[in-house]
Amino acid sequence: MNDEFYMDLAIKKAWQFLVLTYPNPAVGCVILDENGRILSIKAHKKAGFLHAEPLAILFALFSKNGEILSEFLRLYNQFFNTNFKNQNELENADLDAKFSYDFILKNHSNLLKNATAYVTLEPCAHQGKTPPCANLFVALKFKSVIISQSDLNKIASGGAKILKDAGIAVKMGVLNDEGKKLLEPFVSWQSGNFSFFKLAISKNGVATGGIISNLKSRTHAHELRGVLDLLIIGGNSVRTDRPRLDARLANAKAPDVLIYSKRDDFDKTIPLFNVPNRGVKISNSLCNLNAKLIMYEGGENLLKEMINHKISNLKWLLIYQSSQFKTGRNVMLDFSLNPLFQSKIDDGIYGWYELC
Amino acid sequence: MNDEFYMDLAIKKAWQFLVLTYPNPAVGCVILDENGRILSIKAHKKAGFLHAEPLAILFALFSKNGEILSEFLRLYNQFFNTNFKNQNELENADLDAKFSYDFILKNHSNLLKNATAYVTLEPCAHQGKTPPCANLFVALKFKSVIISQSDLNKIASGGAKILKDAGIAVKMGVLNDEGKKLLEPFVSWQSGNFSFFKLAISKNGVATGGIISNLKSRTHAHELRGVLDLLIIGGNSVRTDRPRLDARLANAKAPDVLIYSKRDDFDKTIPLFNVPNRGVKISNSLCNLNAKLIMYEGGENLLKEMINHKISNLKWLLIYQSSQFKTGRNVMLDFSLNPLFQSKIDDGIYGWYELC
Ligand SMILES: [Zn+2]
Ligand SMILES: [Zn+2]
């Protein structure tokens, strides 16, 4: 298989955590051993969590030698007083970055000498809580690092130079268009803000009449709410559905809410107004929002207004679509979408689309 | 990565050619070299074409050694007076099975010694136009063959025994449920018939008002028409849309058509009735159809009748869904689907679903 095949795996993995990594970019990483065997496919999941590269390297080492996994579990549980039992439990854990980084340096036993990494974004050269990811590839004596996008961030960039200076073969621009699209929300956010519209519809386009999406879709939406700066919702949705708009399914902080409405005639006793530590504003202006990551939630009317009247800087849609045909009228609009990423989510699908 | 990861690649590849392989089952095959590197991911595409295993083996050899590709191109073009220039052109070609099989035996140079194959269905043990696929793995000295489904076909089965007798490690039942689902249309066809309903809708569920799906979707539908025993369509669709219902986009034979209608009041001058070598029947009975592979095409009314009145043995739906929101009323039914396979098709998606 060629470079594009492996980069595609890395990009698809990263899409699964798009926006959730805010304010970090979504990044995916695939590691092949010196013979070209896939050892791991990982992505950065959340700000504060391990970067994609050390996470992929850690699991690559586990896959090369089961004893490294046992040793990691033993030391980690001892040090942090945790009780992780196996690789699966580590998959979803917020592993300590510094500990994991040091563990890799001490325990790699040259098992990844001459290995190859595919990374959707140039590895960082920035000394933060942990040393730069680029240095990790150098220390482990990787043979080559294949990169889709170069890092334009002034502070973190320079990773490719570190790699090249150490004699690692670097190839840039593999699946360039796809890698760029993955990075677009981050770039947009950096230069101002990133706004997207969340819509949940049945297979035949019905957005009303009770819960539409499955639990996993709704949990994903709550995870997104947990990282937002602002959630915008239409006034009629609030009047009719009386939603809580918190992030309880993800155990995350409820986002601040802007109710897009001319009138302030809301029943203030509904849960929406009574979630602790959340601000609620009512306004029919979308100027000077002072928020960099914004999600619009709503149905036909709000979507229509945002698209047709171009009063928002809305570029992307996130659509959850169930596999149910539902009796009811569909969202009746007329516009075309360009699918950027689509994936199964339990018995439904969800996808990121740009307006075209 | 584990066995499930590679079997999943084989199964997903096979789904792409589901029904198109009729009267053969859809089969996928992935080959890893002795070090676990992926060499090829292939599927059986069409009856008469190479089985998945020799196709995957042939391309695995190309990937191991570019000179084998050059030699294949040279000999094949010379023997058949063709003009294939590269691997891409071979991908979509109807390669001669006997020639390819012999070429593999003469040119493998033990490059696949200790290799591993993942096959969605037990390799055949049946001497047809070519020797059994199982023998090929033996001749090339594969180390292990991982299989999802055992072959229940009396004539072709016994492949696993051939492999085991030669000392190849055989593992059965990997992704058993997924492999079984992939094989269901073939099993259903063997024991009577297989029927599915084809529906094309916009993102918001509109099935009417001109062409809905993109060209690639329509071409796929024409390829399906090319292998059908019978196409069933509702009388009203014929009266309103006056479709031709041929397979011109796939350069294939137009299927026989049954118009499901009580009345025979059709304008016989429309193209549907004037395609050479195709039978057209008008009937409101779906008993004794004398057809083993049947596709229903239509919109809301026909689908409703087939589902609600259970007058057909319909189990699966094939849905093409565009990425367009279209003004218009949606297909308004109430039932749930279980997605079996969903894939991007240009700017839309298509999927196989079972009613649940
Ligand atoms: Zn980093
Ligand atoms: Zn075979």
Side-chain angles (χ1 to χ4, degrees), chain A residues 35 37-38 203-204 321 323-328 330-337 339 342 344 347 349 353, chain B residues 1 35 37-38 203-204 321 323-328 330-337 339 342 344 347 349 353:
Chain A
N35 295 312
R37 181 163 70 98
I38 304 176
K203 191 76 181 158
N204 59 337
Q321 189 155 32
S323 292
Q324 206 191 349
F325 280 74
K326 227 172 126 75
T327 308
N330 54 345
V331 173
M332 219 182 278
L333 295 169
D334 195 349
F335 61 93
S336 278
L337 296 172
Q342 300 184 102
K344 230 182 126 144
D347 61 350
I349 60 163
Y353 304 83
Chain B
M1 313 312 286
N35 295 312
R37 180 162 72 97
I38 304 176
K203 191 77 182 159
N204 59 337
Q321 188 155 34
S323 291
Q324 205 191 350
F325 280 74
K326 226 172 126 79
T327 308
N330 55 345
V331 173
M332 219 184 276
L333 295 169
D334 196 350
F335 60 94
S336 279
L337 296 173
Q342 300 184 102
K344 227 181 129 145
D347 62 350
I349 60 162
Y353 304 83

Tab-separated table of all heavy atoms in Angstrom, chain A residues 35 37-38 203-204 321 323-328 330-337 339 342 344 347 349 353, chain B residues 1 35 37-38 203-204 321 323-328 330-337 339 342 344 347 349 353:
chain	number	residue	atom	x	y	z
A	35	ASN	N	9.414	-3.017	9.021
A	35	ASN	CA	8.999	-3.864	7.905
A	35	ASN	C	7.689	-3.432	7.268
A	35	ASN	O	7.154	-4.123	6.398
A	35	ASN	CB	8.856	-5.314	8.384
A	35	ASN	CG	10.176	-5.902	8.822
A	35	ASN	OD1	11.181	-5.791	8.116
A	35	ASN	ND2	10.194	-6.504	10.003
A	37	ARG	N	4.750	-3.022	8.891
A	37	ARG	CA	3.546	-3.500	9.577
A	37	ARG	C	2.926	-2.355	10.367
A	37	ARG	O	3.632	-1.606	11.038
A	37	ARG	CB	3.915	-4.659	10.522
A	37	ARG	CG	2.730	-5.249	11.276
A	37	ARG	CD	3.052	-6.626	11.852
A	37	ARG	NE	3.998	-6.580	12.951
A	37	ARG	CZ	3.643	-6.611	14.251
A	37	ARG	NH1	2.369	-6.667	14.587
A	37	ARG	NH2	4.561	-6.577	15.194
A	38	ILE	N	1.602	-2.208	10.312
A	38	ILE	CA	0.914	-1.158	11.081
A	38	ILE	C	0.938	-1.518	12.562
A	38	ILE	O	0.479	-2.591	12.953
A	38	ILE	CB	-0.555	-1.009	10.655
A	38	ILE	CG1	-0.679	-0.739	9.150
A	38	ILE	CG2	-1.227	0.126	11.442
A	38	ILE	CD1	-2.130	-0.689	8.673
A	203	LYS	N	-33.674	9.577	8.407
A	203	LYS	CA	-33.221	9.184	7.062
A	203	LYS	C	-34.011	9.934	5.989
A	203	LYS	O	-33.456	10.247	4.934
A	203	LYS	CB	-33.398	7.665	6.898
A	203	LYS	CG	-32.743	7.069	5.669
A	203	LYS	CD	-31.240	6.929	5.820
A	203	LYS	CE	-30.581	6.361	4.567
A	203	LYS	NZ	-29.139	6.689	4.500
A	204	ASN	N	-35.288	10.222	6.261
A	204	ASN	CA	-36.100	10.943	5.286
A	204	ASN	C	-36.282	12.416	5.646
A	204	ASN	O	-37.268	13.048	5.300
A	204	ASN	CB	-37.457	10.257	5.072
A	204	ASN	CG	-38.267	10.136	6.360
A	204	ASN	OD1	-37.706	10.167	7.458
A	204	ASN	ND2	-39.572	9.994	6.237
A	321	GLN	N	-27.649	11.797	11.152
A	321	GLN	CA	-28.809	11.276	10.426
A	321	GLN	C	-29.092	9.847	10.876
A	321	GLN	O	-28.241	8.964	10.768
A	321	GLN	CB	-28.561	11.337	8.908
A	321	GLN	CG	-29.809	11.004	8.100
A	321	GLN	CD	-29.799	11.621	6.707
A	321	GLN	OE1	-28.750	11.785	6.090
A	321	GLN	NE2	-30.974	11.958	6.198
A	323	SER	N	-31.173	6.120	10.984
A	323	SER	CA	-31.550	5.165	9.940
A	323	SER	C	-33.041	4.892	9.976
A	323	SER	O	-33.505	3.865	9.519
A	323	SER	CB	-30.773	3.862	10.109
A	323	SER	OG	-29.415	4.068	9.833
A	324	GLN	N	-33.779	5.844	10.531
A	324	GLN	CA	-35.220	5.663	10.600
A	324	GLN	C	-35.952	6.528	9.594
A	324	GLN	O	-35.588	7.693	9.384
A	324	GLN	CB	-35.717	6.000	12.008
A	324	GLN	CG	-37.014	5.275	12.339
A	324	GLN	CD	-37.673	5.781	13.589
A	324	GLN	OE1	-37.089	6.536	14.357
A	324	GLN	NE2	-38.912	5.372	13.797
A	325	PHE	N	-36.943	5.950	8.932
A	325	PHE	CA	-37.899	6.737	8.174
A	325	PHE	C	-39.001	7.089	9.154
A	325	PHE	O	-39.556	6.218	9.803
A	325	PHE	CB	-38.476	5.927	7.001
A	325	PHE	CG	-37.568	5.873	5.810
A	325	PHE	CD1	-36.430	5.087	5.819
A	325	PHE	CD2	-37.829	6.625	4.674
A	325	PHE	CE1	-35.578	5.045	4.725
A	325	PHE	CE2	-36.985	6.592	3.573
A	325	PHE	CZ	-35.855	5.800	3.595
A	326	LYS	N	-39.292	8.378	9.262
A	326	LYS	CA	-40.205	8.854	10.274
A	326	LYS	C	-41.375	9.541	9.578
A	326	LYS	O	-41.180	10.270	8.613
A	326	LYS	CB	-39.450	9.910	11.106
A	326	LYS	CG	-39.574	9.778	12.605
A	326	LYS	CD	-38.625	10.754	13.273
A	326	LYS	CE	-39.308	11.613	14.234
A	326	LYS	NZ	-39.805	11.567	15.398
A	327	THR	N	-42.579	9.322	10.046
A	327	THR	CA	-43.710	10.070	9.511
A	327	THR	C	-43.553	11.529	9.924
A	327	THR	O	-43.286	11.807	11.086
A	327	THR	CB	-45.039	9.528	10.073
A	327	THR	OG1	-45.075	8.123	9.863
A	327	THR	CG2	-46.218	10.163	9.363
A	328	GLY	N	-43.683	12.413	8.992
A	328	GLY	CA	-43.523	13.829	9.319
A	328	GLY	C	-42.936	14.567	8.150
A	328	GLY	O	-42.350	13.966	7.246
A	330	ASN	N	-40.402	16.920	6.114
A	330	ASN	CA	-38.945	17.063	6.133
A	330	ASN	C	-38.513	18.515	6.290
A	330	ASN	O	-39.311	19.436	6.120
A	330	ASN	CB	-38.349	16.480	4.842
A	330	ASN	CG	-38.971	17.081	3.596
A	330	ASN	OD1	-40.020	17.725	3.670
A	330	ASN	ND2	-38.346	16.863	2.469
A	331	VAL	N	-37.245	18.690	6.606
A	331	VAL	CA	-36.614	20.010	6.554
A	331	VAL	C	-36.597	20.412	5.086
A	331	VAL	O	-35.910	19.782	4.281
A	331	VAL	CB	-35.170	19.949	7.095
A	331	VAL	CG1	-34.456	21.271	6.888
A	331	VAL	CG2	-35.168	19.564	8.565
A	332	MET	N	-37.342	21.415	4.725
A	332	MET	CA	-37.524	21.694	3.299
A	332	MET	C	-36.735	22.911	2.856
A	332	MET	O	-37.225	24.040	2.869
A	332	MET	CB	-39.005	21.870	2.986
A	332	MET	CG	-39.379	21.231	1.660
A	332	MET	SD	-41.109	21.464	1.240
A	332	MET	CE	-41.943	20.197	2.165
A	333	LEU	N	-35.503	22.689	2.519
A	333	LEU	CA	-34.628	23.758	2.058
A	333	LEU	C	-34.031	23.335	0.735
A	333	LEU	O	-34.192	22.202	0.300
A	333	LEU	CB	-33.508	23.985	3.074
A	333	LEU	CG	-33.937	24.496	4.453
A	333	LEU	CD1	-32.788	24.423	5.423
A	333	LEU	CD2	-34.439	25.930	4.327
A	334	ASP	N	-33.319	24.242	0.106
A	334	ASP	CA	-32.742	23.922	-1.188
A	334	ASP	C	-31.292	24.397	-1.228
A	334	ASP	O	-31.024	25.551	-1.504
A	334	ASP	CB	-33.558	24.600	-2.297
A	334	ASP	CG	-33.224	24.018	-3.666
A	334	ASP	OD1	-32.241	23.255	-3.764
A	334	ASP	OD2	-33.953	24.319	-4.626
A	335	PHE	N	-30.371	23.507	-0.895
A	335	PHE	CA	-28.955	23.849	-1.007
A	335	PHE	C	-28.131	22.573	-1.083
A	335	PHE	O	-28.588	21.496	-0.697
A	335	PHE	CB	-28.486	24.728	0.161
A	335	PHE	CG	-28.630	24.086	1.512
A	335	PHE	CD1	-27.586	23.380	2.080
A	335	PHE	CD2	-29.815	24.203	2.217
A	335	PHE	CE1	-27.718	22.795	3.337
A	335	PHE	CE2	-29.962	23.620	3.471
A	335	PHE	CZ	-28.915	22.920	4.022
A	336	SER	N	-26.921	22.705	-1.585
A	336	SER	CA	-26.058	21.538	-1.760
A	336	SER	C	-24.931	21.554	-0.756
A	336	SER	O	-24.428	22.602	-0.381
A	336	SER	CB	-25.464	21.513	-3.162
A	336	SER	OG	-26.386	20.974	-4.054
A	337	LEU	N	-24.531	20.360	-0.360
A	337	LEU	CA	-23.452	20.213	0.593
A	337	LEU	C	-22.304	19.444	-0.031
A	337	LEU	O	-22.499	18.603	-0.902
A	337	LEU	CB	-23.944	19.432	1.811
A	337	LEU	CG	-25.032	20.104	2.639
A	337	LEU	CD1	-25.561	19.135	3.677
A	337	LEU	CD2	-24.479	21.354	3.293
A	339	PRO	N	-19.675	16.780	1.209
A	339	PRO	CA	-19.331	15.968	2.378
A	339	PRO	C	-17.826	15.930	2.583
A	339	PRO	O	-17.074	15.626	1.662
A	339	PRO	CB	-19.873	14.578	2.039
A	339	PRO	CG	-20.087	14.561	0.581
A	339	PRO	CD	-20.145	15.969	0.082
A	342	GLN	N	-17.726	11.467	6.649
A	342	GLN	CA	-18.963	10.820	7.063
A	342	GLN	C	-18.604	9.512	7.735
A	342	GLN	O	-17.721	8.795	7.268
A	342	GLN	CB	-19.876	10.550	5.868
A	342	GLN	CG	-20.268	11.815	5.133
A	342	GLN	CD	-21.258	11.568	3.998
A	342	GLN	OE1	-22.429	11.816	4.125
A	342	GLN	NE2	-20.766	11.084	2.873
A	344	LYS	N	-20.194	6.062	10.313
A	344	LYS	CA	-21.223	5.365	11.069
A	344	LYS	C	-21.157	5.822	12.508
A	344	LYS	O	-20.065	6.036	13.039
A	344	LYS	CB	-20.909	3.862	11.008
A	344	LYS	CG	-22.068	2.986	10.605
A	344	LYS	CD	-21.698	1.521	10.617
A	344	LYS	CE	-22.713	0.806	11.491
A	344	LYS	NZ	-23.057	-0.538	11.004
A	347	ASP	N	-26.259	2.966	14.940
A	347	ASP	CA	-27.102	2.602	13.797
A	347	ASP	C	-27.417	3.795	12.890
A	347	ASP	O	-28.245	3.685	11.994
A	347	ASP	CB	-28.401	1.935	14.278
A	347	ASP	CG	-29.223	2.870	15.157
A	347	ASP	OD1	-28.706	3.936	15.534
A	347	ASP	OD2	-30.383	2.543	15.455
A	349	ILE	N	-25.649	7.645	10.947
A	349	ILE	CA	-24.410	8.218	10.442
A	349	ILE	C	-24.311	9.661	10.932
A	349	ILE	O	-25.296	10.265	11.336
A	349	ILE	CB	-24.292	8.211	8.897
A	349	ILE	CG1	-25.423	9.027	8.243
A	349	ILE	CG2	-24.262	6.817	8.332
A	349	ILE	CD1	-25.141	9.398	6.797
A	353	TYR	N	-20.006	18.662	6.748
A	353	TYR	CA	-20.250	19.100	5.386
A	353	TYR	C	-19.942	20.578	5.266
A	353	TYR	O	-20.160	21.331	6.215
A	353	TYR	CB	-21.724	18.901	5.015
A	353	TYR	CG	-22.218	17.483	5.188
A	353	TYR	CD1	-22.632	17.016	6.427
A	353	TYR	CD2	-22.269	16.611	4.109
A	353	TYR	CE1	-23.084	15.714	6.593
A	353	TYR	CE2	-22.717	15.310	4.256
A	353	TYR	CZ	-23.123	14.869	5.509
A	353	TYR	OH	-23.562	13.581	5.665
B	1	MET	N	-1.903	-4.292	14.694
B	1	MET	CA	-3.342	-4.408	14.506
B	1	MET	C	-3.715	-5.901	14.534
B	1	MET	O	-2.948	-6.760	14.149
B	1	MET	CB	-3.738	-3.778	13.174
B	1	MET	CG	-3.131	-2.390	12.912
B	1	MET	SD	-3.274	-1.219	14.265
B	1	MET	CE	-5.006	-0.788	14.205
B	35	ASN	N	6.219	-10.271	7.144
B	35	ASN	CA	6.434	-9.320	8.237
B	35	ASN	C	5.182	-8.555	8.653
B	35	ASN	O	5.249	-7.656	9.478
B	35	ASN	CB	7.509	-8.308	7.836
B	35	ASN	CG	8.852	-8.960	7.636
B	35	ASN	OD1	9.294	-9.742	8.468
B	35	ASN	ND2	9.493	-8.664	6.509
B	37	ARG	N	3.227	-6.692	6.601
B	37	ARG	CA	2.942	-5.515	5.780
B	37	ARG	C	1.791	-5.834	4.833
B	37	ARG	O	1.767	-6.901	4.211
B	37	ARG	CB	4.193	-5.113	4.979
B	37	ARG	CG	3.995	-3.895	4.093
B	37	ARG	CD	5.323	-3.275	3.674
B	37	ARG	NE	6.055	-4.081	2.702
B	37	ARG	CZ	6.027	-3.881	1.377
B	37	ARG	NH1	5.312	-2.904	0.863
B	37	ARG	NH2	6.719	-4.650	0.574
B	38	ILE	N	0.856	-4.904	4.688
B	38	ILE	CA	-0.265	-5.118	3.759
B	38	ILE	C	0.231	-5.004	2.326
B	38	ILE	O	0.803	-3.982	1.945
B	38	ILE	CB	-1.385	-4.073	3.955
B	38	ILE	CG1	-1.878	-4.057	5.402
B	38	ILE	CG2	-2.550	-4.357	3.017
B	38	ILE	CD1	-2.925	-2.970	5.670
B	203	LYS	N	-30.773	14.383	0.679
B	203	LYS	CA	-30.387	14.380	2.101
B	203	LYS	C	-31.606	14.554	3.008
B	203	LYS	O	-31.648	14.012	4.102
B	203	LYS	CB	-29.367	15.512	2.338
B	203	LYS	CG	-28.667	15.481	3.692
B	203	LYS	CD	-27.573	14.440	3.770
B	203	LYS	CE	-26.907	14.384	5.133
B	203	LYS	NZ	-26.219	13.106	5.367
B	204	ASN	N	-32.589	15.329	2.537
B	204	ASN	CA	-33.799	15.547	3.335
B	204	ASN	C	-34.980	14.702	2.856
B	204	ASN	O	-36.135	15.061	3.038
B	204	ASN	CB	-34.165	17.037	3.398
B	204	ASN	CG	-34.411	17.636	2.021
B	204	ASN	OD1	-33.917	17.114	1.032
B	204	ASN	ND2	-35.171	18.715	1.969
B	321	GLN	N	-28.245	8.207	-1.314
B	321	GLN	CA	-28.695	9.469	-0.734
B	321	GLN	C	-27.726	10.584	-1.119
B	321	GLN	O	-26.527	10.515	-0.825
B	321	GLN	CB	-28.809	9.342	0.794
B	321	GLN	CG	-29.460	10.552	1.437
B	321	GLN	CD	-30.118	10.243	2.778
B	321	GLN	OE1	-29.644	9.411	3.534
B	321	GLN	NE2	-31.228	10.915	3.062
B	323	SER	N	-26.186	14.570	-1.267
B	323	SER	CA	-25.854	15.533	-0.221
B	323	SER	C	-26.596	16.837	-0.442
B	323	SER	O	-26.187	17.884	0.027
B	323	SER	CB	-24.343	15.776	-0.193
B	323	SER	OG	-23.683	14.630	0.266
B	324	GLN	N	-27.693	16.753	-1.171
B	324	GLN	CA	-28.468	17.955	-1.433
B	324	GLN	C	-29.733	18.010	-0.595
B	324	GLN	O	-30.404	16.995	-0.405
B	324	GLN	CB	-28.839	18.014	-2.919
B	324	GLN	CG	-29.076	19.442	-3.379
B	324	GLN	CD	-29.688	19.522	-4.750
B	324	GLN	OE1	-29.778	18.531	-5.460
B	324	GLN	NE2	-30.129	20.708	-5.123
B	325	PHE	N	-30.031	19.176	-0.055
B	325	PHE	CA	-31.348	19.453	0.512
B	325	PHE	C	-32.172	19.996	-0.640
B	325	PHE	O	-31.764	20.931	-1.324
B	325	PHE	CB	-31.276	20.483	1.638
B	325	PHE	CG	-30.824	19.903	2.950
B	325	PHE	CD1	-29.506	19.569	3.155
B	325	PHE	CD2	-31.729	19.673	3.977
B	325	PHE	CE1	-29.085	19.020	4.355
B	325	PHE	CE2	-31.320	19.129	5.183
B	325	PHE	CZ	-29.996	18.798	5.376
B	326	LYS	N	-33.315	19.359	-0.865
B	326	LYS	CA	-34.112	19.674	-2.029
B	326	LYS	C	-35.476	20.157	-1.559
B	326	LYS	O	-36.054	19.580	-0.635
B	326	LYS	CB	-34.308	18.364	-2.812
B	326	LYS	CG	-34.077	18.445	-4.314
B	326	LYS	CD	-34.105	17.062	-4.901
B	326	LYS	CE	-35.069	16.950	-5.989
B	326	LYS	NZ	-35.182	17.236	-7.197
B	327	THR	N	-36.009	21.189	-2.165
B	327	THR	CA	-37.370	21.590	-1.834
B	327	THR	C	-38.312	20.499	-2.327
B	327	THR	O	-38.204	20.051	-3.464
B	327	THR	CB	-37.730	22.918	-2.526
B	327	THR	OG1	-36.717	23.865	-2.214
B	327	THR	CG2	-39.070	23.430	-2.041
B	328	GLY	N	-39.218	20.086	-1.496
B	328	GLY	CA	-40.152	19.041	-1.888
B	328	GLY	C	-40.510	18.167	-0.715
B	328	GLY	O	-39.809	18.158	0.293
B	330	ASN	N	-40.950	14.859	1.505
B	330	ASN	CA	-40.131	13.659	1.683
B	330	ASN	C	-40.941	12.381	1.512
B	330	ASN	O	-42.169	12.399	1.510
B	330	ASN	CB	-39.488	13.683	3.077
B	330	ASN	CG	-40.520	13.850	4.196
B	330	ASN	OD1	-41.660	14.225	3.923
B	330	ASN	ND2	-40.118	13.574	5.409
B	331	VAL	N	-40.230	11.279	1.362
B	331	VAL	CA	-40.830	9.952	1.419
B	331	VAL	C	-41.319	9.781	2.850
B	331	VAL	O	-40.509	9.736	3.775
B	331	VAL	CB	-39.774	8.869	1.094
B	331	VAL	CG1	-40.344	7.487	1.321
B	331	VAL	CG2	-39.269	9.035	-0.328
B	332	MET	N	-42.616	9.725	3.055
B	332	MET	CA	-43.141	9.775	4.413
B	332	MET	C	-43.627	8.409	4.873
B	332	MET	O	-44.791	8.060	4.718
B	332	MET	CB	-44.248	10.819	4.491
B	332	MET	CG	-44.192	11.607	5.791
B	332	MET	SD	-45.540	12.748	5.926
B	332	MET	CE	-44.969	14.174	5.025
B	333	LEU	N	-42.723	7.649	5.403
B	333	LEU	CA	-43.051	6.317	5.904
B	333	LEU	C	-42.538	6.226	7.322
B	333	LEU	O	-41.837	7.105	7.805
B	333	LEU	CB	-42.370	5.249	5.038
B	333	LEU	CG	-42.828	5.172	3.592
B	333	LEU	CD1	-41.904	4.281	2.785
B	333	LEU	CD2	-44.252	4.619	3.537
B	334	ASP	N	-42.857	5.163	7.996
B	334	ASP	CA	-42.425	5.000	9.381
B	334	ASP	C	-41.875	3.589	9.591
B	334	ASP	O	-42.624	2.647	9.825
B	334	ASP	CB	-43.612	5.260	10.323
B	334	ASP	CG	-43.131	5.482	11.750
B	334	ASP	OD1	-41.941	5.239	12.018
B	334	ASP	OD2	-43.949	5.887	12.582
B	335	PHE	N	-40.576	3.460	9.450
B	335	PHE	CA	-39.946	2.170	9.752
B	335	PHE	C	-38.465	2.393	10.023
B	335	PHE	O	-37.895	3.407	9.645
B	335	PHE	CB	-40.148	1.173	8.617
B	335	PHE	CG	-39.575	1.597	7.297
B	335	PHE	CD1	-38.291	1.195	6.928
B	335	PHE	CD2	-40.307	2.376	6.418
B	335	PHE	CE1	-37.756	1.588	5.708
B	335	PHE	CE2	-39.772	2.773	5.204
B	335	PHE	CZ	-38.502	2.384	4.848
B	336	SER	N	-37.869	1.410	10.691
B	336	SER	CA	-36.460	1.527	11.045
B	336	SER	C	-35.612	0.595	10.203
B	336	SER	O	-36.037	-0.485	9.817
B	336	SER	CB	-36.251	1.184	12.515
B	336	SER	OG	-36.575	2.293	13.297
B	337	LEU	N	-34.398	1.045	9.958
B	337	LEU	CA	-33.463	0.253	9.170
B	337	LEU	C	-32.237	-0.078	10.001
B	337	LEU	O	-31.853	0.681	10.883
B	337	LEU	CB	-33.013	1.057	7.952
B	337	LEU	CG	-34.083	1.406	6.938
B	337	LEU	CD1	-33.520	2.349	5.885
B	337	LEU	CD2	-34.613	0.139	6.291
B	339	PRO	N	-28.369	-0.422	9.330
B	339	PRO	CA	-27.365	-0.246	8.278
B	339	PRO	C	-26.351	-1.376	8.294
B	339	PRO	O	-25.775	-1.688	9.332
B	339	PRO	CB	-26.698	1.085	8.634
B	339	PRO	CG	-27.044	1.369	10.045
B	339	PRO	CD	-28.191	0.518	10.448
B	342	GLN	N	-22.322	1.190	4.587
B	342	GLN	CA	-22.556	2.527	4.047
B	342	GLN	C	-21.239	3.067	3.536
B	342	GLN	O	-20.200	2.869	4.161
B	342	GLN	CB	-23.106	3.457	5.119
B	342	GLN	CG	-24.434	2.983	5.692
B	342	GLN	CD	-25.040	3.963	6.695
B	342	GLN	OE1	-25.953	4.696	6.382
B	342	GLN	NE2	-24.522	3.966	7.899
B	344	LYS	N	-19.282	6.305	0.979
B	344	LYS	CA	-19.292	7.485	0.133
B	344	LYS	C	-19.374	7.054	-1.323
B	344	LYS	O	-18.758	6.047	-1.697
B	344	LYS	CB	-17.957	8.220	0.346
B	344	LYS	CG	-18.099	9.711	0.562
B	344	LYS	CD	-16.767	10.389	0.744
B	344	LYS	CE	-16.726	11.563	-0.215
B	344	LYS	NZ	-16.001	12.720	0.319
B	347	ASP	N	-20.104	12.622	-4.279
B	347	ASP	CA	-20.544	13.568	-3.246
B	347	ASP	C	-21.779	13.091	-2.475
B	347	ASP	O	-22.353	13.847	-1.698
B	347	ASP	CB	-20.788	14.950	-3.852
B	347	ASP	CG	-21.890	14.917	-4.900
B	347	ASP	OD1	-22.322	13.812	-5.272
B	347	ASP	OD2	-22.333	15.985	-5.341
B	349	ILE	N	-23.853	9.390	-0.532
B	349	ILE	CA	-23.567	8.102	0.096
B	349	ILE	C	-24.527	7.060	-0.464
B	349	ILE	O	-25.566	7.389	-1.042
B	349	ILE	CB	-23.712	8.115	1.637
B	349	ILE	CG1	-25.132	8.496	2.063
B	349	ILE	CG2	-22.699	9.024	2.291
B	349	ILE	CD1	-25.446	8.111	3.508
B	353	TYR	N	-29.216	-1.747	3.678
B	353	TYR	CA	-29.904	-1.756	4.966
B	353	TYR	C	-30.847	-2.943	5.025
B	353	TYR	O	-31.418	-3.333	4.012
B	353	TYR	CB	-30.740	-0.480	5.132
B	353	TYR	CG	-29.958	0.801	4.989
B	353	TYR	CD1	-29.690	1.337	3.733
B	353	TYR	CD2	-29.478	1.471	6.110
B	353	TYR	CE1	-28.954	2.511	3.593
B	353	TYR	CE2	-28.754	2.644	5.984
B	353	TYR	CZ	-28.493	3.151	4.722
B	353	TYR	OH	-27.773	4.304	4.591
